[in-house]
Amino acid sequence: MTLRALIVGLAVALASAAMFGTSGAVGKSLLLTGWSSGAAVALRIGLGAAILAVPGALAMRGHWHLLRRPVTWIHTGLFGLVAVAGCQLFYFLAVERLSVGVALMLEYLGPILVVGWLWARHGQRPRPLTVAGITLALLGLLLVLDVLGEVQLSAVGVMWGLLAAVGLAVFFVVGSDDTSGLPPFAFAALGMTFGTVALALAGLVGLVPMQASTQDVVLAGTTAPWWVPVLWLGLVAAALAYVSGVVAARALGAKVASFVGLAEVMFAVLFAWLLLGELPAAIQLLGGVLIVAGVAAVKADEPGGRDTHDGDDTQDARPGEVAAPGIPPAAMQLEPLP
């Protein structure tokens, strides 16, 4: 990889992490005006799916026969219902009760849960660096929760944040299994469609509240029409974030791109501060740093493989490797537009 390609790849990966990092702050601006988490998430996922529909259909050229396989529907259904709709809904429910930064720190315990799943399901005993990473992450969690301090956190909010971590773990596990054979953009678009339909049906029967408002929102101290954050969530924090994440994976390879993707936590804290005036306590910020460091250690301890993209579009992603939240590791196969 040339120096120029490396710089461009890193820039795109950071841009992807930044775009994903805006979702909490921008979404919370809607929640504060009366939107329900279900409505905000459904609209975000639905717009993202609509934007990716055409690229996804183009990527399916020569692959339409894969839709006849049951595994295709099982994987995309599980991905859409749990890893997309469930994870994002739980995250938005968490940010209703917690600061954006704390909610995302809790969600990022997901990769640690993957280690436990791989050990229990496949007998992949964690190695010393992985154990050290888990220890760091759990210590970071204690600091985020400030169990010995004066910061009072909503127990319900913490529960939603931890459920979001479960959703993120499912994302890693299901997304890394590419036996469906679907091109990545098609996989993402179909999964997001499943998530949108499920949330819409849940709203129709009253399981998930669906309230929306046309009241203006406040971002960075400035009022804006309600449709501004809605469009931002669908176009930037969903569709463009997915596409840029895939581009970054192509340029950097799975492991490097996944490391850079961890920057989303810090971007989320930054945008919450700039747009909403939210800033976690210093002890919680330190906890977030430890969680990110722990996840990074776990990722660094994964079995070796190609860390840079060498032009082979059949690069495989290992369980838990992902370019950025929301990008299926299947995207590391780097077929034409998902």
Side-chain angles (χ1 to χ4, degrees):
M1 178 186 297
T2 65
L3 178 60
R4 181 176 180 276
L6 176 61
I7 293 174
V8 171
L10 288 173
V12 174
L14 286 172
S16 177
M19 286 187 283
F20 277 115
T22 64
S23 65
V26 175
K28 190 164 186 175
S29 72
L30 290 173
L31 303 182
L32 293 174
T33 64
W35 282 68
S36 66
S37 294
V41 171
L43 203 53
R44 176 191 177 189
I45 297 174
L47 283 175
I51 293 169
L52 290 178
V54 172
L58 292 175
M60 283 298 292
R61 288 178 298 186
H63 298 281
W64 291 104
H65 65 281
L66 297 175
L67 296 181
R68 296 195 296 267
R69 302 171 60 194
V71 68
T72 298
W73 299 101
I74 293 173
H75 281 199
T76 55
L78 188 58
F79 179 81
L81 295 176
V82 182
V84 176
C87 183
Q88 292 188 23
L89 178 61
F90 297 148
Y91 173 56
F92 272 48
L93 286 169
V95 299
E96 283 185 358
R97 299 164 175 83
L98 305 171
S99 73
V100 171
V102 170
L104 195 60
M105 291 172 196
L106 293 173
E107 181 185 339
Y108 254 85
L109 290 170
I112 305 301
L113 299 179
V114 174
V115 176
W117 164 260
L118 293 176
W119 189 1
R121 180 69 174 82
H122 301 290
Q124 296 182 16
R125 178 185 294 271
R127 297 186 293 185
L129 184 57
T130 294
V131 174
I134 293 173
T135 302
L136 275 178
L138 292 178
L139 177 59
L141 176 61
L142 293 178
L143 295 181
V144 167
L145 299 180
D146 197 23
V147 292
L148 300 178
E150 299 179 353
V151 177
Q152 298 296 316
L153 292 181
S154 163
V156 175
V158 171
M159 178 194 72
W160 290 127
L162 294 176
L163 284 174
V166 174
L168 187 61
V170 172
F171 161 79
F172 287 139
V173 173
V174 174
S176 64
D177 186 347
D178 61 351
T179 54
S180 69
L182 286 181
F185 277 33
F187 183 86
L190 191 56
M192 293 172 75
T193 301
F194 266 116
T196 303
V197 171
L199 283 175
L201 291 176
L204 285 175
V205 300
L207 291 178
V208 176
M210 290 287 181
Q211 285 89 36
S213 171
T214 57
Q215 181 180 338
D216 289 346
V217 302
V218 178
L219 289 169
T222 303
T223 59
W226 64 272
W227 50 264
V228 171
V230 167
L231 286 180
W232 183 278
L233 286 174
L235 178 62
V236 178
L240 290 180
Y242 277 77
V243 174
S244 59
V246 172
V247 171
R250 291 177 174 176
L252 300 175
K255 181 171 286 188
V256 176
S258 66
F259 272 105
V260 181
L262 295 176
E264 184 194 347
V265 177
M266 298 301 107
F267 277 120
V269 172
L270 174 63
F271 284 118
W273 175 47
L274 294 175
L275 298 179
L276 301 176
E278 286 186 357
L279 190 63
I283 191 69
Q284 293 175 308
L285 289 174
L286 176 59
V289 171
L290 292 180
I291 289 175
V292 172
V295 173
V298 170
K299 287 182 176 292
D301 202 32
E302 289 172 349
R306 283 186 299 156
D307 291 342
T308 57
H309 181 54
D310 58 9
D312 180 0
D313 285 350
T314 61
Q315 178 178 347
D316 291 329
R318 292 175 176 79
E321 290 188 342
V322 62
I327 307 292
M332 304 312 167
Q333 295 173 18
L334 309 180
E335 299 186 27
L337 286 181

